[in-house]
Amino acid sequence: HESEIEGYTVWNFEIIFSMPNPIKTKRQDALFEKKFKKKNKRKSIVKKKLELQNNAVLNRKGQEKKNESNNKLKDIEYLYDKALKDYRSKKFDIALKEFSEYMNLSKTEKIINAKYFTGECLYQLKDYKNALKIFDNVIEINKRKIPDALLMAANCEIKLNNNNLAKEYLNRLIKQFPSSILSEIAAKKLKRMD
């Protein structure tokens, strides 16, 4: 309805308000809740499936990385074994390269052995000065290899005609490791030097 008040057009309308039927509303709420739960359930199922697929992909990628890492480790260990085999076969130049490569690639405790055998290869190749440096380094960093390194350092000094320094290494070996079989060898070398 339209009317005029003081020159302005005013619209008249009735507002009718009624309370919703509680039974009908309850049914509608229940239907809405049921649809909402179904929808959420579907979403959670889809979400779980996606999570499982993602986990499977991540696990597969993780397994591939682990396998790749294991293969690299096997290759590195193979390199050490090959170097040792070449050393024992008196292929000192080849073994020297392999031990050096192994030390660049590996992070295991065998690095000390590789370093020691690098010194042995240098000694066999008559590079006594560099062999001596390696043996001195092994003496500083690894207790287990000290007796071997002391004896080889003494051998290097003998080859370099530094008998007094060789005696120091031999005496140190005897003093620090009296029960070692290498101490007996050191004592015999000392007797021959006198």
Side-chain angles (χ1 to χ4, degrees), residues 9-26:
T9 304
V10 178
W11 289 86
N12 292 330
F13 52 90
E14 284 183 38
I15 297 176
I16 300 172
F17 180 76
S18 64
M19 290 295 289
N21 181 342
I23 295 171
K24 194 175 179 182
T25 305
K26 247 186 181 178

Side-chain angles (χ1 to χ4, degrees), residues 82-144:
K82 186 173 178 335
L84 201 54
K85 182 180 175 186
D86 287 334
Y87 170 80
R88 290 181 178 142
S89 299
K90 300 185 189 296
K91 298 176 187 173
F92 302 115
D93 52 339
I94 295 170
L96 179 62
K97 289 175 188 169
E98 291 165 341
F99 282 125
S100 295
E101 188 178 344
Y102 175 81
M103 288 187 292
N104 288 331
L105 297 173
S106 180
K107 294 180 179 141
T108 67
E109 289 183 19
K110 285 185 182 177
I111 287 178
I112 298 300
N113 288 343
K115 186 173 276 261
Y116 174 81
F117 281 112
T118 298
E120 286 264 3
C121 289
L122 289 167
Y123 180 85
Q124 295 299 331
L125 294 169
K126 299 182 183 351
D127 186 353
Y128 304 118
K129 284 184 181 179
N130 285 320
L132 181 59
K133 288 177 188 175
I134 297 289
F135 293 127
D136 280 338
N137 185 253
V138 171
I139 290 166
E140 289 175 28
I141 60 175
N142 189 278
K143 286 184 177 183
R144 195 172 49 85

Side-chain angles (χ1 to χ4, degrees), residues 49-185:
K49 281 182 180 178
L50 286 173
E51 283 176 6
L52 289 172
Q53 288 172 345
N54 286 340
N55 286 343
V57 168
L58 290 174
N59 286 340
R60 191 169 45 249
K61 285 182 180 178
Q63 190 62 41
E64 286 170 2
K65 279 186 179 181
K66 191 175 181 181
N67 289 343
E68 186 179 306
S69 177
N70 285 341
N71 288 341
K72 283 183 183 177
L73 203 61
K74 286 177 187 173
D75 290 345
I76 292 169
E77 292 309 307
Y78 171 77
L79 182 61
Y80 178 84
D81 293 340
K82 186 173 178 335
L84 201 54
K85 182 180 175 186
D86 287 334
Y87 170 80
R88 290 181 178 142
S89 299
K90 300 185 189 296
K91 298 176 187 173
F92 302 115
D93 52 339
I94 295 170
L96 179 62
K97 289 175 188 169
E98 291 165 341
F99 282 125
S100 295
E101 188 178 344
Y102 175 81
M103 288 187 292
N104 288 331
L105 297 173
S106 180
K107 294 180 179 141
T108 67
E109 289 183 19
K110 285 185 182 177
I111 287 178
I112 298 300
N113 288 343
K115 186 173 276 261
Y116 174 81
F117 281 112
T118 298
E120 286 264 3
C121 289
L122 289 167
Y123 180 85
Q124 295 299 331
L125 294 169
K126 299 182 183 351
D127 186 353
Y128 304 118
K129 284 184 181 179
N130 285 320
L132 181 59
K133 288 177 188 175
I134 297 289
F135 293 127
D136 280 338
N137 185 253
V138 171
I139 290 166
E140 289 175 28
I141 60 175
N142 189 278
K143 286 184 177 183
R144 195 172 49 85
K145 280 291 192 188
I146 291 175
D148 301 276
L150 284 169
L151 185 60
M152 287 307 297
N155 289 339
C156 289
E157 292 292 11
I158 290 168
K159 293 291 185 181
L160 294 168
N161 293 317
N162 298 327
N163 287 350
N164 288 337
L165 292 173
K167 287 178 183 179
E168 286 178 30
Y169 282 112
L170 295 171
N171 282 321
R172 182 174 168 194
L173 173 55
I174 293 166
K175 184 178 178 183
Q176 284 185 320
F177 305 94
S179 60
S180 167
I181 194 162
L182 297 178
S183 289
E184 293 174 27
I185 295 169

Side-chain angles (χ1 to χ4, degrees), residues 35-46:
K35 282 182 183 178
F36 183 76
K37 281 183 181 179
K38 271 187 181 179
K39 196 174 185 179
N40 278 348
K41 193 173 186 178
R42 270 190 234 123
K43 279 183 181 178
S44 77
I45 289 170
V46 168

